[in-house]
């Protein structure tokens, strides 16, 4: 019946005219009783009068605009609807129509004064609150929003939905506003949440987001579906652009220029979002609750505690600095993970220069105070060392000319090279530049102890432990798991892991409604060899124990989408497609049994790689998960993911795929190294300007974008600020 109403809109108009509740009313017998069955003649008689309601669409701009929008939507979804038709059943052929038809829909006004689209679709039998979801999905129809007739003398007549007729001067001003908005009033009407005749809104799913870092903020920015009630919990009420924290340590950029209040970000989203400045200390997946503690009273020992229910939980709590249990690091070293860390380092640098300038200190004491040690030769450590070098020799040298010569920067790296995740050309350039700048790079040095005034490192080449005096140590050696995440991992049985383990759809393994992303999670990509038998069985349609080329090509796209290591292996070995991998040299046609299939794909799992713990990965994961939430209902009906090789049907969504957009390593002196897609390497001043433009464009708001650009301009003109505030 739903297909009948959807295919022939005159049925719906006839029901409305005759004040009939639904189509089954037409099929009742003469006594008004519901028939259990009906023959062809009775069916003809019941529907004999509905064609009297056939109407031709008026030739108006309103109809034309909606037809154009409908057709554009069809073109946008052409490929998807080829595989998963969404239209009514084909009564004169097999299957379904590719799209829902373009039809007329009239608007009636409910007693409460809310506008409600009256239609009958799919299994809809009555316009009530249980069927509002169906109402909202039927969007492929012409909606008549009324029409105007200006009559001169600043008067107009209007015939609006719900048989509302208005005439006079007030209607003329309504005409002005509607025509000036270019349909803005209509768009507003479409965006308003649909309500039932009793004024009850559709129940919203509760989504709790833990964290306001790159992953959490990206999720919030891209979540557009208003059917979710979102509650954000984080100990900080802002988002920080962490790649610029090294610049904050030396005053190149001010701290407030790289942060955006999380409430400002969620307010622009225009949906139901609540924020609580608190830290989550416990997650209970059995009862779907998170337990939180407010941060305001934490120092006083009287922090308020509360719990929040959830339907979906998004864990994006980030990570902490990894000390590798090195003695003294927690007590005597500075970290560079948060804005507070950057400000603390900035104050310490100024304090050390002020103390070293006191006349009572000896030269040896001044050298100790101005000895800066950076532990870790990754991007953060290298950038901080470069920023500190520029700060000392470009700005502090003018203010403390007598003690500049005592300042020394040492970079300790346990590996063979700094920036070992970059191309060798970048690594060599960075090491030679630091040598020219006077930054002492000690490779193969593993820190074994940090005290208040000394740092000890074991040299791999000699095995000796060397101690260095220091005024400040900055520790930047990677990330570790937060205590709250460790407790949760023990609770759910994920022991001996560095982070929460998720599947390729960012769902926590073993849970359908909990997602983890960013630095606190790692994606467990399935191996091809784990599913090799299931893949072969799914591809072998005729069950003859062998695959031919046609059978294989039907699933090759799903294999590559489900197992990205296959595509990486093909590119590395310069193969056109998986058929080349399976092609036997001595045969012109492809046929393979299970053993040959296993042997051909046995090496592809060697290309599996863990995603790096970077802001770029976290931001892409947040945007991906938000897109999944935005299309949750649609993909429930029309799955778009690859075939389930160990089950039936398809996965709801395509799995997450990280797209590497390149990375930068500022080296000081207005020079930057860039490793961009396509193996493009750029080093020098031009790369620094590329770095400026990209980092400015990646800011989360125009406010922070303008502030950062202003700070850079101020630094060029006036230098860095050395005030201790």
């Amino acid at each position: 019946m739903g297909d009948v109403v959807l295919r022939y809109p005159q049925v719906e108009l006839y029901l409305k005219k005759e004040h009939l509740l639904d189509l089954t009313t037409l099929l009742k017998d003469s006594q008004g009783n519901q028939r259990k069955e009906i023959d062809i003649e009775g069916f003809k008689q019941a529907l004999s009068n509905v064609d009297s309601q056939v109407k031709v669409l008026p030739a108006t701009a309103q109809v034309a605009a909606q037809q154009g929008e409908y057709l554009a939507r069809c073109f946008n979804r052409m490929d998807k609807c080829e595989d998963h038709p969404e239209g009514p059943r084909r009564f004169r052929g097999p299957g379904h129509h590719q799209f829902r038809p373009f039809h007329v829909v009239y608007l009636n006004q409910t007693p409460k004064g809310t506008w409600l689209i009256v239609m009958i679709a799919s299994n809809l039998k009555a316009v009530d609150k249980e069927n509002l979801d169906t109402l909202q999905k039927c969007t492929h129809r012409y909606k008549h929003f009324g029409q105007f007739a200006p009559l001169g003398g600043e008067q107009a007549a209007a015939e609006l939905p719900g048989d509302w007729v208005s005439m006079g001067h007030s209607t003329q001003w309504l005409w002005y506003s509607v025509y000036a908005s270019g349909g803005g009033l209509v768009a507003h009407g479409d965006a308003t949440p649909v309500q039932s005749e009793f004024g009850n809104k559709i129940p919203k799913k509760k989504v709790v987001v833990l964290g306001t870092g790159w992953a959490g903020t990206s999720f919030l920015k891209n979540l557009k579906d208003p059917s979710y009630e979102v509650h954000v919990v984080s100990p900080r009420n802002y988002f920080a652009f962490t790649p610029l924290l090294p610049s904050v340590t030396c005053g190149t950029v001010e701290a407030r220029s790289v942060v955006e209040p999380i409430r400002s970000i969620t307010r622009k989203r225009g949906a139901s979002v609540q924020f609580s400045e608190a830290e989550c200390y416990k997650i209970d997946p059995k009862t779907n609750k998170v337990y939180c503690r407010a941060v305001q009273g934490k120092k006083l020992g009287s922090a308020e505690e509360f719990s929040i229910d959830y339907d979906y939980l998004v864990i994006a709590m980030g990570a902490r600095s990894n000390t590798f249990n090195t003695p003294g690091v927690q007590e005597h070293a500075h970290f560079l993970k948060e804005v507070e860390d950057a400000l603390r380092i900035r104050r310490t640098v100024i304090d050390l220069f002020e103390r070293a300038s006191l006349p009572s200190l000896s030269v040896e004491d001044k050298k100790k105070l101005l000895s800066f040690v950076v532990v870790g030769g990754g991007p953060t450590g290298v950038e901080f060392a470069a920023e500190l070098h520029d700060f000392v020799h470009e700005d502090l040298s003018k203010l403390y000319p007598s003690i500049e010569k005592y300042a020394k920067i040492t970079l300790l790296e346990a590996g063979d090279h700094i920036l070992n995740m970059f191309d060798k050309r970048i690594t060599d350039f960075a090491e030679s530049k630091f040598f020219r700048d006077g930054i002492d790079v000690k490779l193969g040095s593993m820190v074994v102890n940090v005290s208040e005034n000394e740092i000890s490192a074991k040299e791999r080449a000699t095995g000796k432990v060397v101690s260095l005096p220091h005024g400040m140590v900055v520790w930047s050696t990677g990330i570790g798991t937060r205590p709250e995440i460790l407790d949760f991992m023990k609770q759910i049985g994920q022991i001996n892991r560095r982070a929460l383990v998720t599947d390729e759809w960012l769902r926590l393994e073993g849970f359908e409604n909990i997602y983890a992303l960013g630095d606190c999670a790692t994606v467990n990509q399935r191996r091809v060899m784990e599913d090799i038998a299931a893949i072969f069985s799914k591809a072998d349609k005729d069950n003859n124990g062998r695959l031919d080329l046609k059978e294989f090509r039907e699933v090759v796209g799903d294999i590559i989408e489900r197992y990205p290591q296959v595509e990486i292996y093909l590119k590395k070995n310069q193969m056109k497609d998986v058929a080349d991998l399976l092609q036997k040299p001595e045969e012109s046609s492809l046929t393979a049994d299970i053993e040959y299939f296993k042997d051909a794909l046995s090496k592809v799992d060697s290309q599996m790689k863990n995603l790096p713990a970077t802001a770029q990965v976290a931001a892409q994961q947040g945007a991906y998960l938000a897109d999944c939430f935005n299309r949750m209902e649609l993909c429930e009906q029309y799955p778009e993911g690859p075939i389930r090789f160990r089950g039936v049907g398809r996965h709801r969504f395509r799995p997450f795929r990280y797209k590497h957009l390149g990375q930068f390593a500022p080296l000081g002196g207005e020079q930057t190294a860039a490793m961009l897609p396509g193996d493009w390497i750029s080093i020098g001043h031009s790369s620094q300007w590329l770095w400026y433009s990209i980092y400015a464009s990646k800011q989360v708001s125009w406010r922070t974008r303008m502030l950062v650009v202003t700070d850079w301009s101020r630094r060029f003109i006036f230098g860095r600020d050395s005030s201790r505030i």
Side-chain angles (χ1 to χ4, degrees):
M1 286 305 174
D3 292 301
V4 172
V5 175
L6 192 59
R7 182 67 182 84
Y8 306 100
Q10 59 265 38
V11 176
E12 181 182 344
L13 298 177
Y14 181 78
L15 294 175
K16 178 186 172 186
K17 180 182 178 183
E18 298 296 327
H19 304 290
L20 299 177
L21 186 61
D22 57 42
L23 189 58
T24 58
T25 309
L26 281 176
L27 306 180
K28 291 181 179 179
D29 59 24
S30 57
Q31 283 76 34
N33 298 321
Q34 190 72 47
R35 296 177 179 174
K36 293 184 178 180
E37 58 183 22
I38 188 171
D39 59 13
I40 181 63
E41 294 302 324
F43 194 64
K44 284 182 179 179
Q45 184 180 2
L47 298 178
S48 60
N49 296 322
V50 297
D51 286 334
S52 63
Q53 300 301 315
V54 174
K55 293 185 178 181
V56 178
L57 291 178
T60 63
Q62 194 175 153
V63 172
Q66 293 190 34
Q67 285 178 333
E69 184 180 359
Y70 162 80
L71 189 59
R73 178 168 180 153
C74 292
F75 271 71
N76 291 337
R77 304 170 67 247
M78 187 77 72
D79 291 340
K80 183 184 296 183
C81 291
E82 282 280 0
D83 298 330
H84 308 291
E86 63 178 22
R89 184 179 290 115
R90 294 180 184 271
F91 293 110
R92 290 183 175 271
H96 285 69
H97 289 277
Q98 193 174 359
F99 306 105
R100 291 184 179 128
F102 182 83
H103 286 329
V104 180
V105 170
Y106 293 91
L107 298 182
N108 278 0
Q109 192 176 23
T110 64
K112 291 285 185 180
T114 59
W115 297 105
L116 192 62
I117 301 174
V118 181
M119 62 181 69
I120 301 176
S122 298
N123 297 322
L124 186 61
K125 294 183 179 179
V127 182
D128 55 22
K129 59 184 178 182
E130 285 78 19
N131 297 309
L132 288 175
D133 284 339
T134 312
L135 285 175
Q136 286 181 305
K137 292 173 187 173
C138 298
T139 56
H140 301 312
R141 297 184 169 194
Y142 165 62
K143 302 178 182 69
H144 182 65
F145 291 100
Q147 51 191 345
F148 289 91
L151 304 174
E154 292 298 311
Q155 295 189 63
E159 187 181 58
L160 300 175
D163 295 329
W164 179 33
V165 176
S166 175
M167 292 175 283
H169 296 287
S170 60
T171 309
Q172 179 71 27
W173 285 102
L174 179 62
W175 179 86
Y176 283 141
S177 62
V178 172
Y179 275 49
S181 67
L185 184 64
V186 171
H188 175 74
D190 277 347
T192 304
V194 180
Q195 295 182 339
S196 71
E197 296 188 21
F198 304 101
N200 296 322
K201 290 186 178 180
I202 303 170
K204 294 185 175 183
K205 294 285 188 179
K206 295 181 180 178
V207 180
V208 173
V209 181
L210 303 179
T212 53
W214 280 94
T217 302
S218 177
F219 175 79
L220 293 171
K221 283 187 65 181
N222 290 280
L223 186 63
K224 308 297 183 184
D225 192 340
S227 64
Y228 297 108
E229 181 182 328
V230 184
H231 197 139
V232 185
V233 179
S234 175
R236 61 184 191 189
N237 68 347
Y238 58 84
F239 164 77
F241 192 86
T242 51
L244 285 179
L245 287 184
S247 298
V248 175
T249 62
C250 299
T252 305
V253 174
E254 293 299 324
R256 290 196 177 275
S257 300
V258 299
V259 300
E260 181 73 12
I262 202 67
R263 284 187 171 89
S264 297
I265 295 173
T266 57
R267 177 177 55 84
K268 295 171 184 176
R269 180 177 166 269
S272 175
V273 179
Q274 183 180 350
F275 174 78
S276 296
E277 191 178 38
E279 57 184 10
C280 173
Y281 65 89
K282 181 183 177 182
I283 300 171
D284 188 352
K286 294 181 180 179
T287 60
N288 285 356
K289 285 181 181 289
V290 292
Y291 295 87
C292 308
R293 183 183 297 114
V295 299
Q296 291 84 358
K298 187 177 179 181
K299 294 182 179 179
L300 302 176
S302 60
E304 184 178 348
E305 296 186 358
F306 57 93
S307 64
I308 307 172
D309 297 321
Y310 65 82
D311 294 307
Y312 297 103
L313 177 63
V314 179
I315 305 174
M317 299 172 67
R320 61 181 176 86
S321 297
N322 195 350
T323 65
F324 299 98
N325 296 320
T326 305
V329 173
Q330 202 71 44
E331 296 82 7
H332 305 297
H334 292 265
F335 302 105
L336 193 49
K337 284 285 292 178
E338 306 286 348
V339 175
E340 292 82 0
D341 297 334
L343 292 174
R344 196 177 298 115
I345 291 173
R346 181 175 177 178
R347 287 192 294 268
T348 302
V349 171
I350 301 302
D351 283 345
L352 291 172
F353 269 86
E354 289 293 349
R355 286 178 58 192
S357 65
L358 296 175
S360 59
L361 291 181
S362 65
V363 171
E364 195 64 29
D365 289 337
K366 292 180 179 182
K367 288 182 178 180
K368 289 180 180 180
L369 287 173
L370 299 183
S371 176
F372 302 97
V373 179
V374 183
V375 182
T380 302
V382 167
E383 184 175 352
F384 171 71
E387 281 279 356
L388 182 60
H389 173 270
D390 289 352
F391 186 35
V392 170
H393 295 284
E394 292 177 6
D395 299 282
L396 296 181
S397 60
K398 301 173 184 176
L399 304 176
Y400 306 90
S402 62
I403 59 174
E404 178 203 359
K405 57 187 176 183
Y406 302 131
K408 182 180 180 181
I409 301 171
T410 303
L411 179 62
L412 302 180
E413 167 57 38
D416 295 328
H417 298 282
I418 61 174
L419 299 177
N420 54 19
M421 70 290 297
F422 282 76
D423 186 271
K424 189 177 185 301
R425 289 168 288 179
I426 292 178
T427 297
D428 293 342
F429 179 84
E431 290 175 357
S432 62
K433 184 181 186 305
F434 276 15
F435 177 78
R436 293 193 303 270
D437 291 342
I439 299 175
D440 187 11
V441 178
K442 295 183 178 294
L443 302 174
S445 297
M446 181 180 294
V447 177
V448 295
N449 185 71
V450 180
S451 64
E452 186 177 359
N453 300 311
E454 237 179 25
I455 181 170
S456 302
K458 184 178 181 179
E459 294 181 345
R460 189 174 56 201
T462 62
K464 295 181 179 179
V465 176
V466 179
S467 295
L468 301 172
H470 73 80
M472 181 181 75
V473 172
V474 175
W475 190 271
S476 177
T477 59
I479 59 173
T481 311
R482 289 186 178 275
E484 303 88 351
I485 298 296
L486 282 173
D487 292 340
F488 183 53
M489 291 168 65
K490 293 176 183 177
Q491 181 183 345
I492 62 176
Q494 291 190 5
I495 305 172
N496 299 326
R497 300 275 193 166
R498 71 168 184 85
L500 290 168
V501 180
T502 72
D503 61 17
E504 298 92 327
W505 292 267
L506 308 184
R507 288 176 306 200
L508 191 64
E509 286 193 346
F511 299 91
E512 288 294 323
N513 64 336
I514 300 180
Y515 298 83
L517 49 159
D519 293 350
C520 70
T522 181
V523 177
N524 184 22
Q525 174 64 51
R526 283 191 68 84
R527 297 178 180 273
V528 173
M529 298 310 293
E530 292 176 348
D531 298 331
I532 193 71
I535 296 171
F536 187 88
S537 176
K538 188 73 72 171
D540 187 14
K541 294 292 181 64
D542 53 13
N543 296 319
N544 65 352
R546 299 187 68 83
L547 292 184
D548 57 31
L549 185 59
K550 181 181 178 182
E551 287 176 324
F552 186 73
R553 288 198 182 279
E554 289 180 359
V555 296
V556 65
D558 294 293
I559 292 174
I560 291 176
E561 188 171 24
R562 184 68 178 82
Y563 308 97
Q565 61 266 39
V566 176
E567 185 176 8
I568 297 173
Y569 183 83
L570 294 176
K571 288 182 179 178
K572 183 178 179 181
N573 290 276
Q574 298 179 337
M575 295 181 179
K576 190 178 297 184
D577 56 31
V578 186
D580 294 340
L581 184 64
L582 299 178
Q583 188 74 51
K584 298 179 182 179
E586 68 277 7
E587 296 183 13
S588 58
S589 61
L590 184 152
T591 57
D593 58 15
I594 181 65
E595 294 304 322
Y596 183 80
F597 193 65
K598 285 181 180 179
D599 184 62
L601 296 176
S602 61
K603 297 180 180 179
V604 298
D605 287 329
S606 63
Q607 301 303 313
M608 292 179 64
K609 295 180 180 179
N610 289 327
L611 295 177
T614 63
Q616 193 175 154
V617 172
Q620 290 187 32
Q621 287 180 333
Y624 163 82
L625 187 60
D627 183 59
C628 291
F629 272 68
N630 291 335
R631 299 182 299 112
M632 188 82 74
E633 289 190 10
L634 178 65
C635 292
E636 281 283 358
Q637 297 181 24
Y638 309 109
E640 63 179 21
I643 292 174
R644 294 180 184 270
F645 290 109
R646 290 185 173 271
V648 295
R650 290 182 170 271
H651 292 276
R652 268 189 308 179
F653 307 106
R654 293 184 174 92
F656 172 73
R657 290 291 175 264
Y658 168 60
K659 183 178 181 181
H660 185 61
L661 302 177
Q663 55 191 132
F664 291 92
L667 303 174
E670 290 300 307
Q671 295 189 67
T672 290
M675 191 167 68
L676 301 174
D679 294 328
W680 180 34
I681 303 298
S682 178
I683 306 172
H685 297 287
S686 60
S687 300
Q688 179 72 25
W689 286 102
L690 180 63
W691 180 86
Y692 283 137
S693 62
I694 290 180
Y695 273 41
S697 67
K698 291 295 182 182
Q699 298 299 313
V700 295
S701 70
W702 277 103
R703 184 190 72 86
T704 55
R705 194 170 292 124
M706 292 299 296
L707 287 174
V708 166
V709 173
T710 302
D711 288 344
W712 286 333
S713 303
R714 171 187 51 77
R715 198 269 298 176
F716 274 113
I717 300 171
F718 302 107
R720 301 171 180 85
D721 182 25
S722 61
S723 303
R724 188 195 183 283
I725 299 176

